[in-house]
Amino acid sequence: MNKNYYAIIMAGGIGSRFWPISRTSHPKQFIDILGTGKTLIQNTYDRFLKICPKENIYVVTNEIYTDLVKKQLPDMGDDQILTEPVMRNTAPCIAYGSFRIESMNPDAAIVVAPSDHLILDEAAFVSAIEKSLKVATENNCLITLGIKPSRPDTGYGYIQYTDNSLENDFYKVKTFTEKPTLEIAKTFLQSGDFLWNAGIFVWSARAIVHAFNQYLPDMHEIFADSRPVYNTPEERNHIHKTYQQCTNISIDYGIMEKANNVYVLPSEFGWSDLGTWASIYDLAEKDYVGNAVIPAEKVIMYDSSNCMVNVPGEKLVILQGLHDFIVVEANNTLLICPRDQEQNVKKVVADVKQQFGTKYI
């Protein structure tokens, strides 16, 4: 296993679209949302154990989730859990992890991935990441993984690529497009040169530090100036103080859309970002009338079909005459809504917060 290979797991989100199961105090990355026996962050960590030494895996998360990370990933040392005092999107999170790794090992190659995605074909995933790490080590490039689209999905970002390739499999990126309309998504699919943006990145430590210097110089200055405190007792207080100065910006907007050395690896490894209850429904086992029930211990359904049901295992639930609905109960909260209106969940969360405060959020 290559000692220069590192992984950064981004685990700071609150997963509000999975409310009420996902709460601010216990968001979806720390939940076994598919009923597999492991939480999403545990599955992500296990995947990276096949790619790099366990001491080279880092989690960047909000400080309020430190204990959750320690509990769910007990093999991680305290120095591998990098905490953010506030949410500032993906660029500061990636800068913190990348600069810290670069300060310890300038020859490092780094893969950055969210903590809450599903990968069905782990062997194909490991192969794609290892191939990308090798190419990133040998070339001054920023690599992103693109997923071959199976439908004109409007919930994903899209990457357009050219015929110019690096080592045959990596194609020069032409454009990034965030969540297009259905008509535009259809044209993307028909053109054949667009991929879904998986939000998984690979680069050498040198390449990404240089990119921050070029495209986000203020952020570069913050984390470059922090080099003397990395791996010291002063690191946490220093980072928590300076983090407040970081711009709230994604790595896509801040660097990937501007840089001229971005390449994409078209990939197929059974990927889903598990962004909505619809994505969970699509992946879950269903009965003969299309009902997906997690867990299914004490749920009885009469004349009901195509429902997504997620309730506590000890709860007896009877549903009759319900079709195409989401039924979710957790944390003393019950949510029932049509599956085609699940995009309203974020608004519901905002309304609940306004009416009842943060007790149910």
Side-chain angles (χ1 to χ4, degrees), residues 87-102:
M87 290 178 68
R88 282 287 188 271
N89 217 314
T90 54
C93 155
I94 289 170
Y96 182 17
S98 298
F99 274 79
R100 192 178 191 275
I101 290 168
E102 183 260 356

Side-chain angles (χ1 to χ4, degrees), residues 228-239:
V229 303
Y230 293 138
N231 276 314
T232 73
E234 290 78 43
E235 177 179 343
R236 182 186 175 278
N237 286 341
H238 176 85
I239 291 296

Side-chain angles (χ1 to χ4, degrees), residues 51-71:
I51 293 166
C52 56
K54 71 176 183 179
E55 62 271 18
N56 288 8
I57 302 174
Y58 290 82
V59 170
V60 185
T61 190
N62 192 290
E63 62 176 330
I64 65 173
Y65 303 137
T66 305
D67 289 341
L68 276 171
V69 174
K70 287 181 179 179
K71 182 179 179 182

Side-chain angles (χ1 to χ4, degrees), residues 113-250:
S115 58
D116 54 2
H117 288 186
L118 175 72
I119 307 292
L120 293 174
D121 187 345
E122 293 207 345
F125 174 80
V126 170
S127 175
I129 298 299
E130 287 180 337
K131 185 190 298 185
S132 300
L133 286 163
K134 182 176 184 294
V135 169
T137 299
E138 296 169 353
N139 299 271
N140 176 34
C141 61
L142 308 176
I143 295 170
T144 182
L145 269 58
I147 307 299
K148 294 176 182 177
S150 57
R151 60 187 182 278
D153 199 303
T154 59
Y156 294 145
Y158 285 75
I159 301 168
Q160 184 184 23
Y161 61 96
T162 69
D163 291 333
N164 295 334
S165 66
L166 185 68
E167 304 199 14
N168 297 322
D169 296 323
F170 296 80
Y171 295 90
K172 190 84 181 284
V173 171
K174 187 176 181 181
T175 62
F176 286 88
T177 304
E178 271 300 306
K179 298 180 180 178
T181 64
L182 182 59
E183 288 307 309
I184 292 175
K186 286 177 179 177
T187 64
F188 285 176
L189 222 64
Q190 290 164 0
S191 75
D193 59 355
F194 282 83
L195 302 164
W196 286 337
N197 186 353
I200 301 169
F201 309 102
V202 181
W203 38 56
S204 69
R206 287 188 178 92
I208 192 61
V209 165
H210 177 75
F212 272 101
N213 188 37
Q214 194 167 359
Y215 302 108
L216 291 172
D218 290 347
M219 204 173 293
H220 176 278
E221 185 178 350
I222 289 168
F223 292 100
D225 288 351
S226 301
R227 283 189 178 113
V229 303
Y230 293 138
N231 276 314
T232 73
E234 290 78 43
E235 177 179 343
R236 182 186 175 278
N237 286 341
H238 176 85
I239 291 296
H240 281 216
K241 183 179 178 182
T242 57
Y243 217 87
Q244 311 280 352
Q245 303 166 27
C246 290
T247 309
N248 188 335
I249 190 170
S250 72

